[in-house]
Amino acid sequence: QYHDYDTARANIAQKSNLDLGDEYSMQVIKTFAPHWTLGSKYSVFNQSSDGKDVLRSSKLDTAKFWVWAEYNF
């Protein structure tokens, strides 16, 4: 999955939207038996490569990984 983030309104000084960065993510889900589900997700966010936009945004490059279990009844 891919997301490209930018501001909804134009920056007054630049007269254009700020590029906040982009994100790639992938998710794997597996069902075990009739009631159990196990999942994991990995995401990588890359801040904008435009120096002006980076200075105006506090978003930093980051990567996250998480795992979950679910019981359905």
Side-chain angles (χ1 to χ4, degrees), residues 27-28 32 37-42 64-70:
Q27 178 173 286
V28 177
F32 297 94
T37 302
L38 183 64
S40 65
K41 187 170 185 178
Y42 178 72
K64 296 192 178 192
F65 176 76
W66 57 100
V67 177
W68 70 92
E70 180 179 309

Side-chain angles (χ1 to χ4, degrees), residues 10-25:
N11 179 322
I12 294 172
Q14 300 297 320
K15 297 185 180 163
S16 65
N17 293 359
L18 292 177
D19 177 17
L20 300 176
D22 55 19
E23 178 185 54
Y24 298 91
S25 61

Side-chain angles (χ1 to χ4, degrees), residues 6-56:
D6 59 0
T7 56
R9 287 186 251 168
N11 179 322
I12 294 172
Q14 300 297 320
K15 297 185 180 163
S16 65
N17 293 359
L18 292 177
D19 177 17
L20 300 176
D22 55 19
E23 178 185 54
Y24 298 91
S25 61
M26 62 185 282
Q27 178 173 286
V28 177
I29 299 173
K30 174 71 177 165
T31 300
F32 297 94
H35 300 286
W36 286 98
T37 302
L38 183 64
S40 65
K41 187 170 185 178
Y42 178 72
S43 294
V44 177
F45 175 80
N46 300 308
Q47 71 180 10
S48 171
S49 58
D50 183 346
K52 294 175 187 173
D53 291 345
V54 171
L55 292 174
R56 291 181 176 87

